[in-house]
Amino acid sequence: MTENVLEIKDISVDFITDSGRLKAVRHASFNVPKGKIVGLVGESGCGKSTLASVLIRLMSDNAVVSGESILFEGQNLMGLPPEEMRALRGNKMTMIFQDPMTALNPVLTIGTQMTDIQHRSHKTRAQKRQIAVEMLQKVGIPDPEDRLNQYPNEFSGGMRQRICIAMALLSKPSLIIADEPTTALDVTLEAQIVHLLKDLQEEMGCSILCVSHHLGMIAELCHDVVVMYAGELIEQGTVRDIFHKAAHPYTQRLLECDPANIQRRSKNLPTIKGDIPNLVNLPRGCIFQDRCHKKIAICSQKTPGPLSLGPGHWASCHLLNQGEDYV
């Protein structure tokens, strides 16, 4: 048996647009180990949610997915017939969507939605409802039996996110894809959701791929981190590797921009100057070169390949071949 619940090998995603072929994700490869939480981080627009959508196959019609394989529990999802993918989606592989305020159906009660989502189960409706009650209790919803009769608008954002987490856990999945699970929440609720996810993951033993641009949440929640920029994976390592031994200039700047790392009071938050490059007409060489403060001549001539920096830690940067003085 493989030690990874998910293995992504050389996956690319293009979108056919009026302006040309937009190369949203290029040659992505990484693993999600069993019983672990992996964070996928980067700026907005770098392709994180696109890659997550490919895994669960919820893509727009103009998307073109290519590459070697997406192995989920040893089964290749590339080319899997739609009916077989539907059997996996919402069962062995589930998703917590980005915005809890719009993820639930506003005209159906929570109880109806939580029983309907168990449509693959052969249990009676009463048994499904009891399972829903137990799961709501597990995620910290008070008076769960009564709350099943309420509609989404009767819950706060934090409560709705807890309900979305409960629904994702109902089928006891092997993998949960959490796409920005704390985006719409305030700081206090965000901390509660992070601890809830961590506790439930340890209790149920599932794996989680957590997509986020919130570095503090990633540091608190995840075991491993994959850093993405403009459609490319540019660094990967354990949480300690990324937060204490970041090697790629983009990762370093990303950490410097985290408000938690600001040492002096300032009216302006630190930023990475410049914009993400045009993904229809990609620049030659390193994808980060136009915004990199450590750029050297070769960066505009050749695309860097991954360089191993230790067990499970690698980065794609020409500077790493130049010696420590450049990093």
Side-chain angles (χ1 to χ4, degrees):
M1 293 292 288
T2 177
E3 294 182 356
N4 299 314
V5 69
L6 181 70
E7 297 181 4
I8 301 168
K9 298 181 180 179
D10 195 32
I11 294 300
S12 298
V13 185
D14 294 353
F15 290 98
I16 308 302
T17 70
D18 293 338
S19 301
R21 200 177 182 103
L22 190 148
K23 304 167 186 67
V25 177
R26 299 178 303 285
H27 307 294
S29 298
F30 69 94
N31 301 329
V32 179
K34 288 184 177 180
K36 299 291 184 180
I37 305 177
V38 175
L40 183 59
V41 303
E43 292 172 282
S44 295
C46 71
K48 307 185 301 297
S49 294
T50 296
L51 186 52
S53 298
V54 167
L55 304 181
I56 205 162
R57 205 186 292 177
L58 292 175
M59 302 294 296
S60 59
D61 293 337
N62 66 331
V64 179
V65 182
S66 60
E68 184 176 338
S69 62
I70 300 173
L71 297 179
F72 174 67
E73 295 189 321
Q75 182 179 21
N76 192 355
L77 304 185
M78 295 285 287
L80 196 69
E83 60 274 13
E84 292 185 37
M85 191 65 207
R86 282 195 296 270
L88 283 176
R89 189 169 52 228
N91 187 20
K92 286 291 186 179
M93 182 189 295
T94 61
M95 192 163 187
I96 302 170
F97 292 95
Q98 190 169 100
D99 186 1
M101 309 305 285
T102 59
L104 299 169
N105 191 324
V107 299
L108 297 177
T109 65
I110 297 302
T112 298
Q113 295 183 62
M114 292 192 72
T115 51
D116 285 351
I117 206 172
Q118 301 177 64
H119 66 94
R120 294 183 183 88
S121 172
H122 298 296
K123 292 182 171 62
T124 66
R125 195 163 184 84
Q127 290 172 323
K128 292 177 182 178
R129 187 177 176 87
Q130 183 56 39
I131 292 172
V133 168
E134 293 170 0
M135 191 56 70
L136 286 184
Q137 193 169 32
K138 193 181 290 287
V139 298
I141 302 290
D143 303 318
E145 200 156 347
D146 293 334
R147 303 307 292 269
L148 284 180
N149 299 318
Q150 294 182 313
Y151 291 85
N153 67 288
E154 298 179 76
F155 293 83
S156 67
M159 287 294 186
R160 290 192 216 185
Q161 191 63 297
R162 289 173 184 266
I163 291 168
C164 291
I165 292 171
M167 293 175 75
L169 291 168
L170 274 173
S171 61
K172 297 182 179 178
S174 302
L175 175 67
I176 297 174
I177 301 170
D179 187 5
E180 302 280 9
T182 62
T183 292
L185 308 179
D186 61 42
V187 175
T188 303
L189 288 175
E190 183 178 89
Q192 293 176 5
I193 294 299
V194 167
H195 288 112
L196 175 63
L197 275 173
K198 197 170 185 178
D199 291 343
L200 290 172
Q201 184 273 331
E202 290 176 355
E203 179 183 338
M204 304 187 76
C206 60
S207 300
I208 298 178
L209 175 61
C210 184
V211 177
S212 182
H213 59 264
H214 193 307
L215 296 175
M217 187 195 77
I218 293 295
E220 179 70 24
L221 179 65
C222 299
H223 301 101
D224 300 314
V225 183
V226 180
V227 183
M228 193 168 189
Y229 177 74
E232 294 182 11
L233 305 187
I234 51 96
E235 186 166 2
Q236 180 178 353
T238 64
V239 165
R240 179 168 291 277
D241 288 334
I242 298 300
F243 282 85
H244 296 283
K245 296 185 293 182
H248 198 285
Y250 174 67
T251 310
Q252 295 168 359
R253 295 305 303 272
L254 208 58
L255 291 169
E256 290 171 5
C257 292
D258 184 0
N261 288 330
I262 299 175
Q263 302 297 324
R264 298 178 180 178
R265 294 184 62 179
S266 174
K267 293 181 179 180
N268 300 314
L269 291 173
T271 60
I272 304 175
K273 294 182 179 180
D275 298 311
I276 291 176
N278 186 338
L279 299 184
V280 175
N281 298 304
L282 293 171
R284 182 184 177 188
C286 176
I287 194 67
F288 186 58
Q289 58 176 294
D290 289 340
R291 304 174 72 187
C292 184
H293 60 298
K294 299 181 179 180
K295 177 182 175 181
I296 55 177
I298 194 173
C299 296
S300 58
Q301 301 166 8
K302 183 179 179 183
T303 301
L307 181 70
S308 177
L309 304 170
H313 186 199
W314 61 264
S316 297
C317 180
H318 290 302
L319 296 171
L320 301 176
N321 293 316
Q322 307 296 319
E324 293 184 3
D325 291 341
Y326 286 87
V327 181

